[in-house]
Amino acid sequence: MRPFTYERATDAASAVKAVSDNPNARFLAGGTNLLDLMKLEIEHPTHLVDVGRLPLAAIEETADGGLRIGAMATNSLVAADPRVRARYPVLAQAIIHGGSPQLRNKATVGGNLMQRTRCAYFYDTTKPCNKRQPGAGCSALEGLNRNAAILGASEHCIATNPSDMSVALTALGAGVEAMTATGAVRALTVADLHLAPGDTPHIETALSVGELITAVTLPPAPTGGQVYRKARDRASYAGGLAMVAVAGGQIALGGVAYKPWRALKAEAALAAGQTPAAAAEAELADARDSGRNAFKIALTTRLTVAAIAQAQGGKS
């Protein structure tokens, strides 16, 4: 047992200050990812700042006709919200496809965005991993890399982002609000939250130390069909091999890169009047496999074609 101290935050500003002042502190919300990482000796925080009880769980209308979802809203709460189900069905579908009901009851929106990869070598402390120990090497490059990235990877890391919710948020063009160490709130997009691995795969997001996600913002609902599709090894409680979210004319892929991958080439192809098949092929033209994950290129292509066709048919 590694000793650590615990603090229950009373407001967002004090929580941010507590973590900003201590490089070994971590925010604790639902705990569905962090607690596992602590038990497995992957994360070693010396201080936990519990933000789970902060009044940041409301889902509110915005002036432009969108929604603002508090970062402490649980995944279950968001998926069940009638406004989300009616106007953003792709988001509700994605959340329901992620984890078990018990996990969705605890997992928060902010925590979901910040969850870490499910790469087997990241979780195995006996194997080298550049995410876990910078400079150690990437065991997945020559190892069991069936679930590895086919887009945006580097020679230092081929891990994928595991989030279902983030894929739908990316397709919807969602934004993120984060409180900085000075107490100011800055905005960025979900698509820009995660950083490419490059030669620093341990630096995973664009947030500075101590920054706290306080909300996710959704623009007005897009016109056109919304669809979420996921391929996985079994029907429930399994990570995705490939995911596709379509929201009107916007598309995002999941399980294929270090972040939810906005399929800009596919979107451009569709806007130019090309077929779903041509659009999917355009997006996956730059995909590269690492051996055991070669099947993911064809799988993602077929899944993308099916999702686009379903969305174009007006079904969700």
Side-chain angles (χ1 to χ4, degrees):
M1 171 67 72
R2 291 178 181 266
F4 61 88
T5 53
Y6 170 88
E7 171 185 350
R8 182 178 295 175
T10 56
D11 59 82
S14 63
V16 168
K17 186 177 187 308
V19 176
S20 299
D21 290 346
N22 183 351
N24 293 315
R26 295 290 185 274
F27 293 119
L28 174 67
T32 58
N33 189 209
L34 177 60
L35 296 184
D36 284 343
L37 295 174
M38 291 174 65
K39 292 174 184 177
L40 293 171
E41 295 285 315
I42 297 166
E43 290 266 11
H44 311 116
T46 59
H47 185 60
L48 294 182
V49 179
D50 189 344
V51 295
R53 293 173 175 80
L54 295 181
L56 298 173
I59 302 177
E60 305 165 311
E61 298 280 351
T62 60
D64 64 355
L67 288 180
R68 184 180 185 275
I69 302 173
M72 297 308 136
T74 65
N75 286 183
S76 294
L77 179 67
V78 176
D81 187 277
R83 294 163 295 182
V84 172
R85 294 170 67 89
R87 289 147 55 180
Y88 308 97
V90 66
L91 177 56
Q93 293 167 16
I95 291 173
I96 291 170
H97 275 84
S100 66
Q102 293 86 350
L103 284 174
R104 295 196 295 270
N105 287 341
K106 289 292 292 180
T108 63
V109 168
N112 191 301
L113 289 171
M114 294 298 291
Q115 65 181 303
R116 306 193 71 185
T117 183
R118 297 296 189 273
C119 176
Y121 294 105
F122 174 73
Y123 273 81
D124 186 350
T125 57
T126 67
K127 301 294 191 299
C129 172
N130 285 322
K131 272 190 181 294
R132 198 177 60 246
Q133 184 180 352
C138 176
S139 298
L141 288 172
E142 302 294 335
L144 301 176
N145 51 33
R146 182 170 179 269
N147 293 325
I150 56 175
L151 293 166
S154 78
E155 62 181 340
H156 301 282
C157 183
I158 55 174
T160 58
N161 184 286
S163 174
D164 286 274
M165 183 193 77
S166 295
V167 182
L169 290 175
T170 299
L172 289 166
V176 174
E177 294 178 2
M179 181 174 288
T180 69
T182 64
V185 175
R186 73 177 180 112
L188 62 160
T189 66
V190 173
D192 292 333
L193 177 63
H194 298 93
L195 301 178
D199 58 2
T200 56
H202 60 290
I203 304 175
E204 297 179 337
T205 75
L207 299 182
S208 300
V209 174
E211 277 193 271
L212 174 67
I213 294 176
T214 54
V216 165
T217 55
L218 290 170
T223 58
Q226 296 183 33
V227 171
Y228 191 77
R229 286 204 167 211
K230 181 176 184 176
R232 48 187 166 178
D233 288 323
R234 57 184 186 276
S236 66
Y237 197 52
L241 297 170
M243 299 91 91
V244 181
V246 181
Q250 300 183 164
I251 306 165
L253 310 179
V256 297
Y258 61 93
K259 67 173 183 177
W261 188 266
R262 182 70 180 269
L264 296 175
K265 293 179 180 178
E267 292 176 12
L270 290 178
Q274 297 186 39
T275 65
E281 289 171 4
E283 192 61 49
L284 275 299
D286 295 330
R288 298 291 181 268
D289 69 83
S290 303
R292 296 171 185 263
N293 65 339
F295 74 97
K296 291 181 72 170
I297 298 176
L299 173 64
T300 306
T301 301
R302 293 196 298 269
L303 199 67
T304 303
V305 172
I308 293 172
Q310 184 180 348
Q312 288 181 339
K315 298 178 181 179
S316 59

